[in-house]
Amino acid sequence: MPIKPHIRCLLFDLGSTLWTRQEEGMRLAKEETYRVAGLTLRRSPGGEIFASQDMQTLGSMLHKLCEKWISKEKQQQPEYEPDFVQAMVQASRQLGLSEADRDLGQKLFEALRVRIPVSRVLYPDTLSTLQTLRQRGYTLGIVTNRNYGGQPFYEDLRHMGLLEYFEYQHMAISADLGIRKPHPAIFKYALEHLSVLPEEAAMVGDNLQADVGGARQLNILGIWKPKPAVRKTSSREQVDIVPDLTIEDLKDLLEIF
């Protein structure tokens, strides 16, 4: 398949693009984060009101209330990250903890963090494809929407082996930047730090609107890698965005670039 010869950079999404969910690991990890979050609430000032509650159930309730608040904020401002710490404060107060403040909110936010190595697994062709692309001279970058960033996320990426192919300081991570795909600013951040022009780049991701649509706003080549379930449905027709290219597996990129 012919491709524009001036493409010299490939940007990638993470979830459902480079890795997929490890369902059993995700379930166990969530249960543990719920328990830790519940204990954090119980041990906070005023937390004695939760003395009779199961800590895992309490943490799960906190998470659901927080997700509801975050979902509402994202609907109102879909291209900006909500204040996750404030979401925890609001959820705690809804549970009856009127003393909840931002210090507690930050602790709860981190308590509910599910670490990547125990909840995700790289696709079998991820590392080999990245290695070959780099050997062929392509610059590689990440543009991803994520609730969590910072040092723990850096450590997770290192553990997964991805920092062999990407520089963390070049990654555009919504949690660190406060902006989300498809906002063009998050793509511009990655391109500027990689010293690449938009027309020299391609974006690979599973979300037509966020990945392909966002990239196309800047004349970045949009490559769609749909989730397996999406390939079997007409979900693509629900979004009026046509990708420049569609692949099934990451290794298909090696037939293009």
Side-chain angles (χ1 to χ4, degrees), residues 2-13:
I3 195 65
K4 296 178 181 179
H6 53 266
I7 297 294
R8 66 184 187 89
C9 173
L10 286 151
L11 304 172
F12 294 90
D13 177 45

Side-chain angles (χ1 to χ4, degrees), residues 18-22 116-117 119-124 126 160:
L18 298 185
W19 64 45
T20 188
R21 293 165 66 98
Q22 189 174 340
I116 301 303
S119 60
R120 305 291 195 275
V121 59
L122 294 174
Y123 286 109
T126 293
M160 299 289 280

Side-chain angles (χ1 to χ4, degrees), residues 16-254:
S16 298
T17 301
L18 298 185
W19 64 45
T20 188
R21 293 165 66 98
Q22 189 174 340
E23 295 299 339
E24 181 63 11
M26 173 71 81
R27 182 184 67 80
L28 294 174
K30 279 189 174 182
E31 289 177 356
E32 177 60 15
T33 64
Y34 294 158
R35 186 188 67 81
V36 173
L39 284 172
T40 302
L41 278 172
R42 172 66 181 84
R43 293 168 179 171
S44 64
E48 60 274 6
I49 63 172
F50 304 121
S52 63
Q53 296 193 35
D54 175 73
M55 293 300 97
Q56 184 174 313
T57 301
L58 179 61
S60 178
M61 292 170 58
L62 174 76
H63 180 260
K64 289 178 181 178
L65 289 172
C66 183
E67 285 295 303
K68 185 176 180 179
W69 190 91
I70 289 172
S71 177
K72 183 178 178 181
E73 290 293 305
K74 286 183 177 179
Q75 288 177 5
Q76 295 175 348
Q77 298 189 82
E79 295 186 345
Y80 295 89
E81 285 292 6
D83 186 336
F84 295 107
V85 172
Q86 186 60 29
M88 294 295 169
V89 173
Q90 294 295 333
S92 300
R93 291 176 179 173
Q94 282 185 263
L95 288 172
L97 192 64
S98 58
E99 296 92 340
D101 57 15
R102 288 192 65 85
D103 180 61
L104 175 61
Q106 183 65 51
K107 292 177 181 177
L108 291 170
F109 180 56
E110 287 301 326
L112 286 171
R113 181 192 289 259
V114 175
R115 300 299 293 265
I116 301 303
V118 298
S119 60
R120 305 291 195 275
V121 59
L122 294 174
Y123 286 109
D125 58 353
T126 293
L127 297 183
S128 59
T129 299
L130 295 176
Q131 182 176 1
T132 301
L133 288 171
R134 194 171 67 171
Q135 289 173 344
R136 292 179 180 179
Y138 289 98
T139 299
L140 306 180
I142 294 289
V143 183
T144 182
N145 289 345
R146 303 204 61 77
N147 293 357
Y148 292 93
Q151 184 64 28
F153 188 57
Y154 172 90
E155 294 170 358
D156 287 350
L157 293 178
R158 180 175 55 80
H159 187 277
M160 299 289 280
L162 291 175
L163 295 188
E164 295 292 322
Y165 307 96
F166 304 99
E167 296 288 340
Y168 190 82
Q169 62 268 29
H170 297 165
M171 296 183 188
I173 302 167
S174 66
D176 294 336
L177 301 176
I179 47 178
R180 296 173 53 82
K181 296 177 294 185
H183 197 302
I186 194 169
F187 294 94
K188 288 179 180 178
Y189 178 93
L191 294 176
E192 289 171 1
H193 284 73
L194 291 166
S195 299
V196 174
L197 296 174
E199 57 270 22
E200 297 175 323
M203 175 69 198
V204 184
D206 70 294
N207 189 296
L208 276 174
Q209 184 171 351
D211 297 314
V212 176
R216 294 282 290 279
Q217 293 180 79
L218 297 174
N219 199 31
I220 298 171
L221 193 77
I223 302 177
W224 190 38
K225 180 181 179 286
K227 299 180 180 70
V230 174
R231 297 174 197 156
K232 301 175 183 178
T233 70
S234 59
S235 298
R236 172 177 168 177
E237 299 174 2
Q238 299 173 12
V239 179
D240 189 23
I241 296 172
V242 179
D244 294 297
L245 296 167
T246 300
I247 61 174
E248 291 192 3
D249 299 303
L250 210 62
K251 64 176 182 281
D252 294 344
L253 292 172
L254 302 181

